[in-house]
Amino acid sequence: MNITVCIKQVPDPNQPYKLSGTRLDREAVQPVLDPGDEFGVEAGLKLAEAHGGEVTVLSMGPAKAMEAMRRALSMGAHKGILVSDEALAGADAQATAQVLAAAIKRNPFDLVIAGTESADGSTGAVPAMIAELLGVPQATFAKQLEVKEGTLTIHRQTQEGYDVVECALPAVLTVTSGVNEPRYPTFKGIMQAKNKPVEQLSAADLGLSVAASQQVAAVNPAPARGQGEIFEDDGTGAARIADFLKNAKVI
Amino acid sequence: MTTTEAAPEIRSSIFSPEHEVLRASARAFIERELAPHADEWEEAGDFPDWVFERAGAQGFLGLSYPEEYGGQGGDYLSSLVLKEEMARCGSGSVGMALAVQSDMATPPILKYGTEEQKQRYLVPAIKGTRIACLAITEPEAGSDVANVQTTAVRDGSEWVINGRKIFITNGCRAHFCTLVARTDRGSIDDAVGPEGVKASSINPRKPSGYQGFSLFLVDTDTPGWQVAKRLKKLGMHASDTAEIVIEDCRVPANALLGEEGKGFYQIMWELQGERLAGAAGSVSGAQLMFDRALEYAKERHAFGKPIGANQAISHRLAEMATEIEAARQLVYDAAWRLTKGEYPVKEISMAKLYGGLVACRVANHAMQVFGGASYLMDVPIQRAWRDARLIRIGGGADEIMREIIAKTSGL
């Protein structure tokens, strides 16, 4: 099986973010491999271990994204492709999907795996667009997955429970956190990752000239939570709290 | 989710970027997979065997072992990094148990074992599927290792072992034991080494009179091998410590590890690395205690200001920070020499002596900073205080370290 896992380097989501205009200030916060992508890498590695084949990690980002790529390689992925181009800075979901799809198409593939959304942009749109551009089915929000005789079967997480979804390979798959337990890189993996091949491509190498078709006009913080209501207990406190909760449809 | 695999910040010039990536990975594993259980394990006085298996799968039990036996192919510094990070587990017991497996009981198998012994004992020990212990100490032979009384007597194609071992970490749960026994049949010969140094300080590169001891690999289900007692300790509660009685325990000829009569040199050589690893662990533990005390000194208010605003506290914290840093640099310098191929017995002894003293001082001061809270059993500082005390006794007591430093200084 040829498996491509899409990964992204993001500012550490556990640190407070900083903005530079309408974009994240990527210098201000330590960059890390998107934690959600670790589940994708693990899913790819597990499938390759069970069915044979190779896992390629694919990313679009600045040269610094190589650190995130090495992290995925130290988990056990076989090789990497990093599309890095000044012209791609500020790419939107569509431009990103075009780039990633073009990079995937250069080699035969059975499965493309991604997280459900990135921790920074959080559009959640890129995997679906990749599937469209590649002309293959997409199986999304997998909390469990299996590949058997060229068919991918997943449990798709829903609000009520899960749907069982099947599709033929090749396909695009997105995995939720919780689909597996991502492995921690071993020292051997870390040392091997140093020497694994990473192909570096520009937009021109992919024959693309893409531009963002949408711009983020403004970034606004969520409104701060208003002050709560304070009841002085004059003997009717419990009843007033009960009324309050009833009005809020909590009880 | 708390994954933060940062671009490595290198903490000392002895480490490579890959060592620091390992540090981040080990820290994430230890903080997420082990630390959440620390309280429960310490309370229960035991931790489950899966810890060995998970640690093995993570490569922690074979960091500096060759890949052909399932190891990670790393250097001594890679295992030093693990010892430093293991302090974050919150239970000294776990780090100690794993270190006995990877750094004490198994190194002689790699160095002196036959291929068959390596496959049978080393490979599963690195994997974490067989648990190992090391049995040197006896009721009458602690620091004075040369006074070991346990005997192994050849009887046809077998060895018959008799004796008593004590303070054996992992001894209750171990599947096999690397055992030191007398094979010279005679009385104790030359209990003092060539430099007039006692047992644990012997430098095996030099000729000495420490003949007559041999190493054996003994399966603990062999008839005659008996765990007489699970010993209760001041600290390290989750780690099992056994007293073992060995009565007419018959093992095959191929249970002999390495050369007959050379057991002492074979084991002492390896214990230097373990001693330094122990020092690294205590210094790292001291750092964690310090970090906690520092935070608390800023948060805790008394008489209208943070307690850290009092010079009595702030100067003490300043001194703790300085001592920890000094101890760490002693460890790093000795580690660097060891990695270069030197055999820095003196520097290792200094690192362990000073590291242990500093860890205990820091633990004491941290207790003082935390005040009444530190004395409660559900506050972690008291456990760190209890656990820290062991390093000044185990793996060569302070007095032995001083003796080695004195002797190697020509006294």
Side-chain angles (χ1 to χ4, degrees), chain B residues 96-351:
Chain B
M96 182 168 76
L98 298 182
V100 163
Q101 173 107 346
S102 60
D103 292 51
M104 294 177 71
T106 51
I109 309 177
L110 176 70
K111 203 155 179 186
Y112 305 104
T114 61
E115 189 55 32
E116 191 197 341
Q117 287 171 330
K118 287 175 190 171
Q119 293 301 333
R120 187 173 155 85
Y121 296 103
L122 182 61
V123 170
I126 290 174
K127 237 181 175 172
T129 51
R130 291 192 87 187
I131 298 169
C133 66
L134 173 69
I136 303 177
T137 304
E138 299 182 0
E140 299 299 323
S143 294
D144 184 10
V145 185
N147 198 36
V148 160
Q149 307 285 340
T150 296
T151 56
V153 178
R154 191 68 189 248
D155 180 20
S157 65
E158 293 178 323
W159 291 93
V160 184
I161 306 173
N162 278 286
R164 185 177 282 262
K165 296 285 179 183
I166 200 165
F167 306 147
I168 309 305
T169 300
N170 295 351
C172 301
R173 75 204 311 175
H175 299 107
F176 73 91
C177 175
T178 304
L179 174 96
V180 178
R182 305 190 69 86
T183 45
D184 65 353
R185 294 168 188 247
S187 57
I188 297 164
D189 63 336
D190 191 10
V192 177
E195 303 148 305
V197 178
K198 287 264 181 172
S200 58
S201 61
I202 187 75
N203 178 344
R205 275 188 177 162
K206 299 194 177 160
S208 94
Y210 279 63
Q211 306 290 343
F213 298 97
S214 303
L215 296 183
F216 293 89
L217 289 168
V218 184
D219 290 312
T220 54
D221 59 3
T222 310
W225 183 278
Q226 201 186 17
V227 176
K229 206 171 181 184
R230 189 186 176 107
L231 301 164
K232 288 186 179 174
K233 307 184 295 297
L234 171 71
M236 304 283 192
H237 285 170
S239 160
D240 62 296
T241 307
E243 178 176 356
I244 292 163
V245 172
I246 311 157
E247 273 176 340
D248 292 330
C249 184
R250 302 183 83 91
V251 296
N254 65 9
L256 178 71
L257 174 60
E259 211 181 314
E260 185 180 340
K262 299 281 186 226
F264 206 84
Y265 309 96
Q266 293 169 354
I267 202 71
M268 279 315 180
W269 168 263
E270 302 297 341
L271 289 183
Q272 291 296 333
E274 180 270 332
R275 202 166 267 175
L276 185 56
S282 357
V283 174
S284 179
Q287 180 72 56
L288 291 174
M289 282 187 272
F290 172 80
D291 292 346
R292 283 203 186 111
L294 182 66
E295 277 310 301
Y296 192 76
K298 290 176 188 170
E299 284 167 12
R300 169 79 177 176
H301 282 65
F303 306 107
K305 59 182 179 182
I307 58 170
N310 298 299
Q311 279 194 346
I313 302 283
S314 68
H315 282 194
R316 184 164 268 184
L317 285 167
E319 194 171 276
M320 285 156 78
T322 307
E323 290 190 340
I324 292 167
E325 198 53 46
R328 180 162 33 231
Q329 294 308 325
L330 277 180
V331 170
Y332 285 174
D333 178 67
W336 176 68
R337 289 168 187 270
L338 198 62
T339 309
K340 272 200 317 178
E342 288 180 31
Y343 191 64
V345 177
K346 182 178 177 178
E347 287 78 5
I348 288 174
S349 306
M350 288 176 166

Side-chain angles (χ1 to χ4, degrees), chain A residues 22 215-220:
Chain A
T22 56
Q215 301 291 334
V216 177
V219 179
N220 294 306

Side-chain angles (χ1 to χ4, degrees), chain A residues 93-181:
Chain A
Q94 194 179 348
T96 306
Q98 283 173 311
V99 168
L100 296 179
I104 292 163
K105 254 195 289 199
R106 291 162 76 243
N107 299 302
F109 66 92
D110 298 299
L111 188 61
V112 177
I113 306 177
T116 53
E117 61 183 25
S118 60
D120 54 357
S122 305
T123 64
V126 173
M129 290 177 175
I130 293 175
E132 175 70 19
L133 291 166
L134 295 175
V136 300
Q138 53 163 325
T140 53
F141 290 92
K143 63 173 194 136
Q144 194 176 311
L145 64 102
E146 188 187 27
V147 171
K148 220 174 179 177
E149 290 154 11
T151 301
L152 169 68
T153 307
I154 67 156
H155 288 183
R156 182 172 61 193
Q157 180 85 54
T158 65
Q159 275 198 320
E160 292 78 27
Y162 63 89
D163 301 334
V164 180
V165 180
E166 276 184 9
C167 68
L169 297 182
V172 171
L173 162 72
T174 71
V175 293
T176 60
S177 53
V179 67
N180 53 38
E181 284 188 31

Side-chain angles (χ1 to χ4, degrees), chain A residues 26-239:
Chain A
R26 291 177 188 275
E27 298 297 312
V29 179
Q30 184 71 49
V32 296
L33 172 63
D34 192 323
D37 290 340
E38 290 188 16
F39 298 94
V41 174
E42 180 64 36
L45 293 174
K46 278 216 166 80
L47 287 171
E49 281 159 8
H51 302 277
E54 287 203 329
V55 174
T56 305
V57 278
L58 168 64
S59 188
M60 183 184 94
K64 207 172 163 46
M66 189 63 90
E67 287 164 16
M69 185 137 283
R70 292 281 172 219
R71 162 86 188 191
L73 293 170
S74 69
M75 288 174 71
H78 301 82
K79 54 190 190 312
I81 302 172
L82 176 62
V83 186
S84 200
D85 198 320
E86 294 261 314
L88 296 171
D92 61 2
Q94 194 179 348
T96 306
Q98 283 173 311
V99 168
L100 296 179
I104 292 163
K105 254 195 289 199
R106 291 162 76 243
N107 299 302
F109 66 92
D110 298 299
L111 188 61
V112 177
I113 306 177
T116 53
E117 61 183 25
S118 60
D120 54 357
S122 305
T123 64
V126 173
M129 290 177 175
I130 293 175
E132 175 70 19
L133 291 166
L134 295 175
V136 300
Q138 53 163 325
T140 53
F141 290 92
K143 63 173 194 136
Q144 194 176 311
L145 64 102
E146 188 187 27
V147 171
K148 220 174 179 177
E149 290 154 11
T151 301
L152 169 68
T153 307
I154 67 156
H155 288 183
R156 182 172 61 193
Q157 180 85 54
T158 65
Q159 275 198 320
E160 292 78 27
Y162 63 89
D163 301 334
V164 180
V165 180
E166 276 184 9
C167 68
L169 297 182
V172 171
L173 162 72
T174 71
V175 293
T176 60
S177 53
V179 67
N180 53 38
E181 284 188 31
R183 63 197 69 186
Y184 301 86
T186 62
F187 192 60
K188 189 159 77 177
I190 292 163
M191 296 306 283
Q192 285 170 345
K194 276 171 48 173
N195 300 316
K196 286 180 176 171
V198 178
E199 195 179 0
Q200 299 200 54
L201 301 172
S202 65
D205 292 332
L206 294 169
L208 287 176
S209 136
V210 296
S213 56
Q214 52 176 227
Q215 301 291 334
V216 177
V219 179
N220 294 306
R225 259 172 64 179
Q227 201 179 350
E229 213 171 319
I230 296 169
F231 299 117
E232 292 279 347
D233 186 15
D234 55 4
T236 61

